Amino acid sequence: MLTRIDHIGIACFDLDKTVEFYRATYGFEVFHTETNDEQGVREAMLKINETSDGGASYLQLLEPIREDSAVGKWLAKNGEGVHHIAFGTADVDTDSEAIRGKGIRVLYEEPRRGSMDSRITFLHPKDCHGVLTELVTAADHSPKDHD
């Protein structure tokens, strides 16, 4: 069962410049940074608030490290902006299978490692009214930088 908005992913050309905008404009501070070679991105998670299920809500800023990454291709086509929305779940495996059973295309056969050692999968935007949707099960430990 989906429990919260985990994060909103925002694609950007310059991670440092975009982080500074959110810090200076809204007062959001970086909670976690990492480079995810598998997904071809450098990212920063800006914590917005805690949630009643023990998780948190974030803005995830994504800068591609390769032009051929999914985010790199998306930026080339669409420019900067909202890339995806992610919903938190206690069990990404069970929930993604239940959603797959409803005829929604799940992009990964098995969930993969995501930010802060979470487990993730994505749902096809054409099956979700044009919105790339991510399902996230947070890791059970405190975050640390992975750069």
Side-chain angles (χ1 to χ4, degrees):
M1 177 171 157
L2 306 181
T3 58
R4 62 191 158 85
I5 294 175
D6 183 85
H7 67 271
I8 296 173
I10 299 173
C12 61
F13 292 111
D14 184 326
L15 185 65
D16 297 326
K17 183 177 175 182
T18 306
V19 163
E20 179 55 25
F21 168 81
Y22 280 96
R23 190 203 59 72
T25 305
Y26 306 115
F28 298 154
E29 296 296 336
V30 173
F31 180 74
H32 172 84
T33 61
E34 80 180 75
T35 298
N36 185 322
D37 291 321
E38 180 183 354
Q39 294 182 24
V41 295
R42 188 169 76 103
E43 66 179 81
M45 296 294 270
L46 286 63
K47 185 188 262 186
I48 306 306
N49 68 317
E50 302 290 337
T51 61
S52 62
D53 68 357
S57 293
Y58 303 90
L59 287 181
Q60 178 187 45
L61 306 178
L62 300 159
E63 175 189 42
I65 57 174
R66 297 187 316 267
E67 289 181 13
D68 69 339
S69 69
V71 172
K73 291 175 186 176
W74 190 91
L75 266 171
K77 181 179 178 182
N78 301 293
E80 293 184 307
V82 174
H83 179 262
H84 67 275
I85 186 168
F87 295 107
T89 172
D91 187 346
V92 68
D93 296 274
T94 299
D95 286 343
S96 63
E97 284 307 309
I99 289 169
R100 187 188 314 267
K102 295 177 181 179
I104 306 298
R105 286 175 282 180
V106 178
L107 298 183
Y108 302 155
E109 200 57 41
E110 297 283 328
R112 298 180 181 177
R113 182 195 164 282
S115 300
M116 300 184 290
D117 293 324
S118 62
R119 297 193 69 234
I120 66 165
T121 195
F122 285 91
L123 309 179
H124 200 292
K126 289 185 179 177
D127 297 343
C128 300
H129 297 272
V131 178
L132 179 61
T133 304
E134 182 179 5
L135 305 180
V136 179
T137 297
D140 291 331
H141 56 79
S142 300
K144 47 190 176 264
D145 286 359
H146 290 279
D147 278 338

